[in-house]
Amino acid sequence: MKDTVDPATFTVIPSTEHPHRIEDKRGNLLAYRLRLPHHLQLIETLEETEQLIPKHGQSQHKRGLAFTKDYRDDNTGKNVGRADEWFRRNQKLFDYLGGTVLRNLAPRMYQKFRSVRTTLDPLLRPLCGVWAGCAINQHQTDDGKVHLDWKDTLLGLNTVVGWGDYETATLNLWQLGVALEVRKGDAVLFLGRILSHNAVGISGGARRRNIVDCFIHESLFQDGDAKVLQRKEVKRQEEQLQLQSRLRAAPTELSEAVDEDAEPDEQSDNEDNGESMSSLAAHEYQGHLEQLDYQ
C-alpha cells in the first residue's frame, strides 16, 4: 500500500478541543480522537511515573514494552513491583478510556472486552481496565513504519495516548487516506488490526514522544470461547448423570411394562433421538458464541 499511495494526498484533520469521529458508510466506528480532560491530570501522571517503566532492549518500531504474563512472571521479580506501581498510579487513565469513552462509544464492544475477565486464569487480570495489556514505546523521534496490529481482536478498538517532550504528531490511517493530527493530551481509538497505520511528523520541544498503546488480542477470546463450551459440556454431562440417577431410583413397574410392549426398533429410535439432541446442543452452544460477537 505504501508503494501505491502518497501520504501527501491524505486528508489532514487538525486536532481541536472537540472529539472527531470517523465512520464508514454504514455508521460503523473506525476511529475516534478526543482531548483528555485536563482536570484529571492523566498526562501529568504519565510523566511523573515514567521512571517506573523498566528499560528493555527493543528493535526500532517494535510494538514497545508489553506488560504481559511473561513479563510479570519474570523469575527475578525485579520489575514486578515497579510495574504494579506504574499500573496503579495510571489506573485512572485506563478507567476513563474504558469505563467512560469506550463504554459510551461502543457498549457491546465494551461488554465483550469485559467478558475476558470470566475466562482468565484466577491469578491473572486485565492490566489496563477493559484492555488486557498495553505496549509502551519511549523516545520516538523518527517516523514509524506502516503496519497492522495483526494479533489484536479483529474488530476491536485499541487506544493510544502520547506524552513526553513534544507538541504534536500525525497518525496516518492508510486505507482511509486520513492524516489525523494527534497533539500531546489527545487519545485515539482505532481499529489497529484493520487500518494500516504509522505515526509521523513528531514536532515541538525536544521531539521525543512516548506512547502507551492499550490492546486486547484475539487469542483471549478464542481461549474464552473454548472454556465456555467446556463449562457447558461439563454441566450437560452432570445434568445427564443426575437424570440417570433419578431414573434408577424411581419405581420400575412402569418401565418394565413399557419394555415388554416395546418394538425392537424403539431402542434404535431413542439412540437416534439422543444423537439429535446432541446436535441441537451443539447448535445452542454455537448460538451462544454468536451472541458474544458485537459485529
Side-chain angles (χ1 to χ4, degrees):
M1 178 175 292
K2 188 175 180 181
D3 296 333
T4 59
V5 179
D6 182 2
T9 64
F10 287 2
T11 301
V12 177
I13 303 177
S15 175
T16 71
E17 295 182 358
H18 303 289
H20 187 86
R21 180 185 180 102
I22 301 176
E23 300 176 343
D24 66 11
K25 294 180 179 179
R26 298 183 178 180
N28 297 310
L29 180 63
L30 303 175
Y32 187 85
R33 182 192 60 201
L34 70 151
R35 184 71 49 84
L36 294 173
H38 180 69
H39 71 277
L40 295 179
Q41 297 188 320
L42 303 175
I43 300 300
E44 289 81 357
T45 303
L46 284 170
E47 293 174 338
E48 293 168 2
T49 57
E50 185 175 353
Q51 75 280 1
L52 295 173
I53 301 172
K55 307 301 180 184
H56 285 205
Q58 62 186 65
S59 61
Q60 187 180 20
H61 306 302
K62 188 178 179 182
R63 205 181 186 193
L65 307 175
F67 293 112
T68 62
K69 179 179 184 296
D70 292 338
Y71 169 81
R72 293 176 56 82
D73 287 348
D74 182 0
N75 291 331
T76 65
K78 62 183 179 181
N79 291 323
V80 173
R82 293 167 64 89
D84 285 343
E85 178 68 7
W86 187 87
F87 282 109
R88 184 188 68 79
R89 294 180 61 180
N90 288 285
Q91 195 60 46
K92 188 185 295 184
L93 171 66
F94 305 131
D95 289 344
Y96 177 77
L97 291 172
T100 299
V101 179
L102 183 65
R103 188 176 185 177
N104 285 280
L105 283 177
R108 297 180 68 184
M109 185 187 302
Y110 170 80
Q111 292 297 335
K112 180 174 181 178
F113 283 12
R114 277 182 56 87
S115 71
V116 168
R117 298 169 182 263
T118 64
T119 57
L120 284 177
D121 185 286
L123 298 178
L124 299 178
R125 60 178 177 81
L127 294 176
C128 305
V130 295
W131 288 278
C134 68
I136 298 174
N137 289 330
Q138 293 180 277
H139 304 160
Q140 294 179 328
T141 58
D142 300 328
D143 293 350
K145 292 182 179 179
V146 181
H147 67 283
L148 290 170
D149 300 325
W150 61 273
K151 289 185 178 181
D152 289 2
T153 187
L154 183 60
L155 293 175
L157 294 166
N158 65 327
T159 304
V160 175
V161 177
W163 81 95
D165 192 356
Y166 79 107
E167 292 181 5
T168 188
T170 297
L171 177 66
N172 286 335
L173 302 175
W174 286 74
Q175 286 91 337
L176 306 181
V178 165
L180 195 65
E181 184 186 11
V182 185
R183 299 187 67 85
K184 181 178 175 179
D186 287 348
V188 181
L189 294 83
F190 65 100
L191 301 177
R193 183 172 170 179
I194 300 296
L195 300 174
S196 301
H197 56 279
N198 66 324
V200 301
I202 300 170
S203 63
R207 296 182 59 252
R208 287 198 301 270
R209 178 177 181 251
N210 311 311
I211 66 163
V212 54
D213 176 6
C214 303
F215 58 85
I216 187 164
H217 283 170
E218 180 65 24
S219 60
L220 288 178
F221 296 110
Q222 294 172 350
D223 292 344
D225 290 347
K227 289 179 179 179
V228 168
L229 286 175
Q230 185 180 31
R231 287 201 299 265
K232 280 183 170 287
E233 178 61 19
V234 169
K235 183 178 180 180
R236 186 190 69 80
Q237 292 178 3
E238 290 175 348
E239 292 175 346
Q240 187 175 23
L241 290 174
Q242 291 173 2
L243 177 59
Q244 292 174 351
S245 178
R246 289 197 299 269
L247 289 175
R248 285 195 296 268
T252 60
E253 291 81 358
L254 181 59
S255 298
E256 292 173 352
V258 171
D259 289 339
E260 291 174 357
D261 297 333
E263 296 294 334
D265 292 337
E266 287 190 3
Q267 184 176 0
S268 176
D269 290 341
N270 290 335
E271 291 173 355
D272 291 342
N273 186 53
E275 293 176 359
S276 299
M277 291 302 294
S278 298
S279 178
L280 288 173
H283 285 298
E284 178 185 349
Y285 299 159
Q286 183 62 35
H288 176 75
L289 297 182
E290 291 173 355
Q291 289 174 12
L292 292 178
D293 293 334
Y294 60 82
Q295 298 97 299

